[in-house]
Amino acid sequence: MLKSSRLALVFVCLLGVGLFCISSNARAQSGAKNGEWRTYGGDLGSTRYAPLDQINADNFSKLEPAWSFKTDSLGPRPEFKFESTPLMVHGVLYSTAGSRRSVVALDAASGELLWVHREDEGMRATYAPRQLSGHGVAYWTDGKEERILYVTPGYRLIALNAKTGAPIPTFGTNGVVDLKLDDDQDIDLVTGEVGLHSTPIVAKNVVIVGAAHLTGSDPKSRKNVKGYVRGFDVRTGKRLWIFHTLPKPGEFGADTWEKNSLTSTGNTGVWAQMSVDEELGLAYLPVELPTGDYYGGDRPGKGLFGESIVAVDLQTGKRKWHYQLVHHGIWDMDIPCAPILTDINIGGRTVKALAQPTKQGFLYVFNRETGEPIWPMEERPVAKGDVPGEWYSPTQPFPTKPPAFDHQGVAIQDLIDFTPELRADAEKLVSKYRIGPIFTPPSVSTAEGTLGTITSPGSTGGANWPGGSYDPETHKLYVYSQTAIAVLGMIPPPNPQFSDMEYVQGTAGKEPRASSPMGAPPRPVAPGAAVQGEGGEGGATLTVRGMPLLKPPYGRITAYDMDKGEIAWQAPHGETPDNVRNNPALKGVTIPRTGQAGLVGVLTTKTLVIAGEPMFTTTASGARGAMLRAYDKATGKEVGAVYMPAPQSGSPMTYMLNGQQYIIVSISGRDFPGQLVAFRLPQVNVSRAN
């Protein structure tokens, strides 16, 4: 007798209605399963969804801290930007932590430390462009053996025994694959400028690793390290394939680089998380732009695969399709986060889709089998700039659906207007700058003329590395974004030693600041660095009496109906910042909640969308801290909040263990070193909540 799923398959196929035969496992992405959280994005499709509902609208505000884990001693200095999303498998929590990027295994019920692994990479770590603990680890099992894999600050792939934390001796060389080797280019093992914050992604027998670099507002050289992507055998560490994100001469895409500029250009790495569809056998690579972020005169042409989504064969790395979201990027619109794999209903049929949140505030949606846009994509004319020697693309692709999830461009009507006086101050401030719609290019900065171009979204988004989440049951996608600006002025470098680029980002009359590692001060890199952040370049912040230049909301969560390509709801996320609600210029003025700007990820459960605030704020009780907030995922109504002593700095996750649901979030901030905090319902309420 056929199983029910097979009967359903036969029934659909026999209908003969001219649609297609839907396989029993067509929906490849179903969120985290069995109460666990086995990969960074919850599943390989990066849905960040778990079908758990013990914690719900009725009891969310009753959550209590179950345990916390401090990371202060995991490295030579504390870490104040703790961005990890832990994994939970078989009752054990796995995470990177601390300024040396240690790996820890914790009891998921109590937070007890089970084991810790650390690597002391010496000067190699000191010179690393991506420092601190990064975004976490990857997990693999064949049903018998279990492994944890991660990339060190010094760009080495390490495989550990998940039960003991010991390196796997048969993987690479004593558990280590040196990622600066076998990369189809020569890279200095100590000072070579390549690393990674993101986790590897493991699918079937392949572990895929991307590449990241220094922030690119003022690179030292256009001839930077090339950010190739590689697949390795998860058992042996042997390189299986390499994808040249900068094509080699004669390869597909090489003709999009004029004057053979691809040979003298670097970057174009994948510093974001990746996604995989195991059923289709495809891995999806969100690629950043080439060197540098705001000047491309040395790389004329559209420049594949810069700022493109590239689908490659999981086993061979061969390109299957690509789509370039930005031609010849000069705005630092790297594709910053994992593509979200969604199975949606379009015109009465199920379509395997891919939805890509971006810095520019667009959600680009494609058929993930073919790369064809789900809704029409229009090439629209964009402005040409005035930077000498720059190559400008005459058009850029614009999605016709869905609508943008955040503010785009800068116009006078977008400026702060709580009072007429504030609007007047804002207009005076922007009079020395160029403003315009999205894709208004950077401008030459001169003291007597235009100081630069004010762009929105800025270089940190829109959306950034936390990405979004997707509910495979309701076909709703959720993304947090911030309304922020960047000032893009271009000046010649102060001397040849600073950079060999013709122009770097800066403001006339001010010395430009060299690009710095993520987790260290500006070059030269020195031991003991403490400043950190992701994508923080893009020019000085312009404020009006200490408040943001643009109108709120400063941070919002957007819900999309993916079957329709429409916005279902939007809600400001976060309390109004203290510097706004306590500002003397607003005395007597009532303003709605503004939300908060920052970088936070969202978690979706059976009934809720959950995200923490990205800023320290004075809470209703008078305590300094941040709130973890929950929203009804159908309506966007806030249904609960709990206090955290510091802002959310890593994306939350959830799991079920011993009959209790936990929510884990990484928190940190100024003067508050990183912690993992676990929330659960009070013990006496658990049985009733079930």
Side-chain angles (χ1 to χ4, degrees):
M1 182 176 178
L2 290 172
K3 293 182 179 179
S4 59
S5 61
R6 183 66 59 83
L7 283 170
L9 172 63
V10 173
F11 177 74
V12 172
C13 291
L14 291 177
L15 283 177
V17 294
L19 294 177
F20 54 84
C21 182
I22 304 174
S23 67
S24 60
N25 61 345
R27 187 186 298 162
Q29 280 62 51
S30 57
K33 296 180 179 180
N34 303 318
E36 297 187 323
W37 193 276
R38 289 195 170 205
T39 189
Y40 176 87
D43 58 17
L44 292 176
S46 301
T47 62
R48 304 198 67 82
Y49 172 76
L52 304 179
D53 61 358
Q54 184 183 91
I55 297 171
N56 54 50
D58 294 334
N59 58 32
F60 187 89
S61 293
K62 300 176 183 178
L63 289 175
E64 297 177 347
W67 54 262
S68 63
F69 180 79
K70 295 183 178 181
T71 68
D72 308 40
S73 60
L74 296 175
R77 65 187 191 276
E79 178 183 27
F80 298 94
K81 195 67 172 176
F82 182 32
E83 297 176 344
S84 175
T85 294
L87 309 185
M88 198 289 280
V89 185
H90 300 321
V92 180
L93 205 73
Y94 301 98
S95 180
T96 50
S99 55
R100 200 183 293 281
R101 197 175 298 179
S102 299
V103 178
V104 296
L106 310 176
D107 183 295
S110 67
E112 178 187 0
L113 179 64
L114 303 178
W115 56 255
V116 60
H117 173 87
R118 66 185 289 274
E119 293 282 327
D120 187 348
E121 297 180 298
M123 292 303 294
R124 179 164 173 160
T126 300
Y127 280 97
R130 299 292 168 123
Q131 299 185 6
L132 304 177
S133 62
H135 295 164
V137 301
Y139 170 85
W140 171 85
T141 184
D142 60 0
K144 298 178 181 178
E145 184 183 0
E146 296 178 274
R147 294 183 180 184
I148 297 296
L149 300 105
Y150 81 109
V151 176
T152 67
Y155 205 45
R156 297 154 70 232
L157 175 64
I158 295 184
L160 305 174
N161 183 308
K163 290 183 172 60
T164 67
I168 303 293
T170 56
F171 183 87
T173 302
N174 298 320
V176 179
V177 171
D178 193 328
L179 296 171
K180 290 186 177 181
L181 300 174
D182 201 15
D183 195 36
D184 291 5
Q185 59 184 317
D186 294 326
I187 304 174
D188 188 280
L189 296 184
V190 176
T191 62
E193 199 256 273
V194 63
L196 194 66
H197 257 154
S198 295
T199 74
I201 189 166
V202 181
K204 295 186 177 179
N205 66 315
V206 183
V207 52
I208 307 174
V209 178
H213 306 82
L214 293 172
T215 59
S217 56
D218 33 33
K220 190 169 185 179
S221 176
R222 68 177 74 97
K223 299 178 181 179
N224 203 9
V225 175
K226 302 177 191 297
Y228 298 148
V229 179
R230 283 166 290 173
F232 298 89
D233 187 293
V234 73
R235 293 182 182 275
T236 67
K238 177 184 176 182
R239 191 184 98 174
L240 300 175
W241 53 261
I242 185 168
F243 181 77
H244 299 131
T245 51
L246 277 158
K248 288 187 172 293
E251 290 184 343
F252 183 93
D255 59 348
T256 65
W257 296 79
E258 298 179 8
K259 299 181 181 179
N260 200 33
S261 55
L262 60 84
T263 61
S264 58
T265 301
N267 291 75
T268 322
V270 175
W271 59 259
Q273 297 294 146
M274 293 174 264
S275 300
V276 172
D277 187 322
E278 286 188 316
E279 183 184 25
L280 295 178
L282 295 178
Y284 302 96
L285 317 181
V287 186
E288 66 162 355
L289 81 169
T291 319
D293 284 356
Y294 308 116
Y295 180 75
D298 301 311
R299 49 176 173 86
K302 290 186 176 181
L304 289 179
F305 293 94
E307 291 170 309
S308 301
I309 299 172
V310 183
V312 301
D313 184 279
L314 174 64
Q315 300 294 341
T316 67
K318 299 295 184 183
R319 184 192 67 89
K320 294 300 183 179
W321 61 261
H322 77 278
Y323 204 101
Q324 189 173 50
L325 305 186
V326 181
H327 307 317
H328 187 85
I330 50 175
W331 298 273
D332 188 17
M333 291 179 178
D334 300 337
I335 304 179
C337 55
I340 303 172
L341 307 191
T342 66
D343 294 339
I344 59 179
N345 296 320
I346 303 294
R349 63 189 184 94
T350 298
V351 176
K352 294 179 180 293
L354 175 153
Q356 180 66 66
T358 59
K359 288 185 179 182
Q360 51 266 42
F362 283 129
L363 183 73
Y364 299 82
V365 187
F366 303 94
N367 182 310
R368 69 176 182 267
E369 295 183 89
T370 66
E372 292 296 318
I374 297 297
W375 295 284
M377 196 85 73
E378 296 179 352
E379 288 286 341
R380 299 177 186 171
V382 294
K384 183 178 180 179
D386 62 359
V387 178
E390 183 60 90
W391 189 97
Y392 295 97
S393 175
T395 65
Q396 294 292 346
F398 285 74
T400 57
K401 290 179 72 174
F405 55 78
D406 210 302
H407 178 80
Q408 294 178 320
V410 180
I412 293 299
Q413 59 265 30
D414 301 323
L415 305 180
I416 184 173
D417 65 350
F418 294 139
T419 69
E421 293 78 14
L422 289 171
R423 168 55 67 85
D425 287 352
E427 290 187 20
K428 182 179 179 181
L429 180 62
V430 303
S431 64
K432 289 287 289 181
Y433 296 86
R434 180 177 297 164
I435 60 176
I438 189 171
F439 296 118
T440 297
S443 54
V444 174
S445 181
T446 62
E448 64 280 0
T450 300
L451 289 176
T453 297
I454 303 175
T455 66
S456 180
S459 58
T460 53
N464 206 284
W465 61 263
S469 64
Y470 175 71
D471 183 343
E473 303 299 326
T474 64
H475 296 189
K476 297 294 193 300
L477 185 146
Y478 305 91
V479 60
Y480 165 86
S481 62
Q482 62 175 334
T483 298
I485 64 168
V487 179
L488 304 184
M490 306 304 297
I491 60 175
N495 55 68
Q497 289 71 43
F498 184 91
S499 175
D500 65 13
M501 306 283 285
E502 282 77 4
Y503 284 88
V504 296
Q505 191 278 325
T507 303
K510 296 182 180 180
E511 190 77 6
R513 195 178 90 167
S515 298
S516 58
M518 297 296 189
R523 289 194 316 252
V525 185
V531 180
Q532 59 237 235
E534 181 89 62
E537 74 277 20
T541 299
L542 300 180
T543 60
V544 179
R545 302 194 193 185
M547 292 180 284
L549 177 65
L550 301 183
K551 296 176 183 178
Y554 307 133
R556 71 189 83 192
I557 294 175
T558 300
Y560 283 106
D561 183 325
M562 294 303 295
D563 293 339
K564 299 178 180 178
E566 298 174 354
I567 292 176
W569 55 260
Q570 285 186 314
H573 175 60
E575 186 53 83
T576 302
D578 288 349
N579 68 307
V580 175
R581 60 181 173 178
N582 299 329
N583 197 293
L586 295 181
K587 187 175 182 179
V589 179
T590 301
I591 59 174
R593 180 185 284 185
T594 65
Q596 297 179 6
L599 303 178
V600 294
V602 295
L603 165 69
T604 304
T605 68
K606 195 74 173 177
T607 60
L608 303 176
V609 174
I610 300 166
E613 293 178 328
M615 298 174 62
F616 281 106
T617 311
T618 303
T619 64
S621 66
R624 184 81 170 159
M627 303 300 290
L628 181 68
R629 299 186 183 275
Y631 303 85
D632 183 298
K633 71 179 186 182
T635 66
K637 178 184 176 182
E638 184 174 321
V639 294
V642 291
Y643 171 78
M644 304 184 296
Q648 174 181 312
S649 49
S651 298
M653 53 82 82
T654 187
Y655 57 88
M656 200 80 172
L657 184 63
N658 300 328
Q660 286 193 297
Q661 184 183 352
Y662 293 76
I663 295 174
I664 307 291
V665 62
S666 298
I667 64 172
S668 60
R670 185 180 296 276
D671 300 323
F672 193 99
Q675 286 188 19
L676 283 174
V677 179
F679 291 97
R680 69 183 177 196
L681 294 171
Q683 300 273 347
V684 294
N685 290 339
V686 171
S687 59
R688 186 177 63 196
N690 276 323

